[in-house]
């Protein structure tokens, strides 16, 4: 199985602020802005409860952004408001990142873990603000087990014939993505091979938990990760893509520290058929919502 750590959501260049962690631990992954999109942030399904996304984003960005921000709603792990019949959880990828996934051989049976940049927020005098001293963290917020790979850029007609609901997906709607021959859609499998969960093999994690945190607890920056020791490959085996330099890794007991790449969207590791990763992934997916 290939495991893909997929960086998604607001970053320093796109959005410019961390996605918020609400006071009750709720994760709100904010999809990246794009002026050519038709979907606004206010239309994205988010577990907000009584929180109003327009006010939240306006406060955190000092008035620069609000709920009318146009965003790239991808990955789609929950049905969007305009979902057509037959919709399935999916991830679209294009350009260089899609080429990297193709060269790594990512396909049916492989697993995406989606992570992003997060920070705790609080209400202060009626306005939302980042909690003073709260660390910047990389957190895993969702997952998708691949069941089918669609070459949307090369065979869009055939893909739409078999999956008409793709007509509403941003990787079909945007002209620049339709014209990209690398434009690819990864659809969730009908059921998971890792855990007994109902429905398609994909989902979004509601809360921040220690197991979902990639950033080392005492790290000075979010890009220093602490991972289970099995992430460090055996001699002669390939390491996580974009992280092949042995100097990036440091063994720490039964765990490992990794100085993660500051750029790049998709990091792929090839895992054996059996091993300790199975229990870790099953606990991650089937754990606390």
């Amino acid at each position: 199985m290939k495991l893909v750590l997929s960086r998604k959501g607001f970053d320093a260049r796109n959005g410019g602020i961390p996605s918020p962690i609400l006071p009750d631990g709720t994760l709100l992954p904010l999809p990246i802005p794009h002026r050519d999109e038709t979907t606004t942030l206010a239309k994205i399904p988010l577990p907000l409860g009584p929180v109003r996304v327009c006010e939240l984003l306006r406060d955190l960005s000092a008035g620069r952004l609000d709920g009318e921000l146009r965003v790239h709603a991808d990955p789609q792990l929950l049905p969007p408001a305009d979902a057509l019949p037959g919709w399935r959880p999916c991830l679209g990828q294009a350009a260089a990142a899609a080429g990297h996934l193709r060269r790594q051989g990512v396909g049916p049976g492989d697993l995406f873990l989606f992570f992003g940049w997060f920070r705790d927020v609080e209400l202060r005098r009626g306005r939302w603000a980042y909690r003073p001293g709260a660390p910047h963290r990389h957190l895993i917020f969702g997952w998708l087990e691949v069941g089918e790979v669609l070459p949307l850029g090369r065979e869009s007609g055939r893909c739409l014939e078999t999956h008409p609901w793709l007509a509403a997906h941003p990787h079909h709607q945007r002209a620049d993505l339709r014209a990209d021959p690398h434009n690819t859609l990864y659809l969730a499998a009908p059921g998971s091979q890792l855990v007994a969960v109902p429905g398609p093999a994909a989902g979004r994690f509601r809360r921040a938990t220690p197991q979902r945190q990639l950033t080392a607890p005492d790290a000075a920056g979010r890009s220093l990760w602490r991972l289970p020791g099995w992430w460090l490959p055996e001699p002669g085996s390939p390491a996580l893509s974009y992280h092949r330099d042995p100097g990036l890794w440091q063994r720490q007991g039964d765990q490992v520290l990794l100085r993660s790449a500051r750029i790049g969207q998709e990091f792929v590791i090839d895992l054996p058929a059996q091993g300790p990763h199975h229990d870790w992934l099953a606990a991650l997916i089937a754990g606390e919502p």
Side-chain angles (χ1 to χ4, degrees):
M1 180 182 70
K2 296 181 188 298
L3 175 60
V4 186
L5 283 174
S6 182
R7 190 200 312 262
K8 293 293 177 282
F10 271 32
D11 58 28
R13 295 178 59 186
N14 301 283
I17 58 174
S19 291
I21 307 171
L22 296 184
D24 66 354
T26 297
L27 293 170
L28 296 183
L30 300 175
I32 63 170
H34 199 288
R35 63 184 180 182
D36 294 333
E37 298 287 355
T38 58
T39 298
T40 63
L41 188 64
K43 296 179 181 178
I44 301 296
L46 294 170
L48 287 168
V51 177
R52 299 178 62 181
V53 67
C54 296
E55 295 177 1
L56 177 68
L57 191 57
R58 186 167 55 243
D59 290 350
L60 295 178
S61 67
R64 181 171 55 89
L65 307 171
D66 61 23
E68 295 307 306
L69 179 71
R70 295 186 179 192
V71 295
H72 184 61
D74 190 52
Q76 292 186 352
L77 303 177
L78 298 174
D82 59 353
L84 298 176
W87 176 89
R88 286 164 60 185
C90 56
L91 163 71
Q93 194 51 277
H100 181 67
L101 292 174
R102 185 181 66 255
R103 289 190 298 274
Q104 296 294 317
V106 175
D110 296 333
L111 176 67
F112 283 88
L113 294 179
F114 303 108
F115 75 95
W117 174 28
F118 289 87
R119 196 176 180 210
D120 294 276
V121 301
E122 64 182 10
L123 266 176
R124 196 184 309 153
R125 300 185 183 93
R127 296 177 64 87
W128 289 102
Y130 291 106
R131 183 165 56 80
H136 296 258
R137 296 185 277 170
H138 279 149
L139 290 164
I140 299 170
F141 67 84
W143 65 285
L144 184 147
E145 253 179 85
V146 181
E148 190 175 357
V149 180
L150 300 180
L152 197 56
R154 299 192 308 275
E155 302 178 27
S156 60
R158 179 183 66 82
C159 294
L160 284 172
E161 285 181 6
T162 56
H163 303 80
W165 58 272
L166 290 178
H169 194 279
H171 275 253
H172 171 72
Q173 290 190 329
R174 268 179 42 194
D176 61 323
L177 293 176
R178 283 201 308 272
D180 183 350
H182 301 296
N183 189 18
T184 304
L185 215 63
Y186 296 85
L187 305 188
S192 172
Q193 300 297 312
L194 286 169
V195 294
V197 294
R204 193 161 68 197
F205 303 132
R206 182 177 177 85
R207 298 183 184 279
T209 66
Q211 189 179 16
R212 294 168 188 162
Q213 179 166 319
L214 295 171
T215 301
D218 300 324
R222 62 184 180 275
S223 295
L224 180 63
W225 295 353
R226 188 172 71 183
L227 303 169
W230 54 261
W231 282 88
L232 183 63
E234 298 294 331
S237 300
L240 184 68
S241 62
Y242 292 102
H243 298 83
R244 302 285 165 82
D245 180 358
L248 298 174
W249 301 81
Q250 180 183 342
R251 174 71 72 175
Q252 193 177 66
D254 60 353
Q255 297 180 316
V256 64
L257 292 177
L258 171 63
R259 182 66 63 183
S260 66
R262 294 182 179 273
I263 59 174
Q265 293 185 47
E266 314 290 356
F267 308 144
V268 185
I269 187 171
D270 205 346
L271 297 173
Q274 300 294 328
H277 58 277
H278 275 281
D279 290 342
W280 186 86
L281 291 170
L284 177 73
I285 293 170
E288 182 182 347

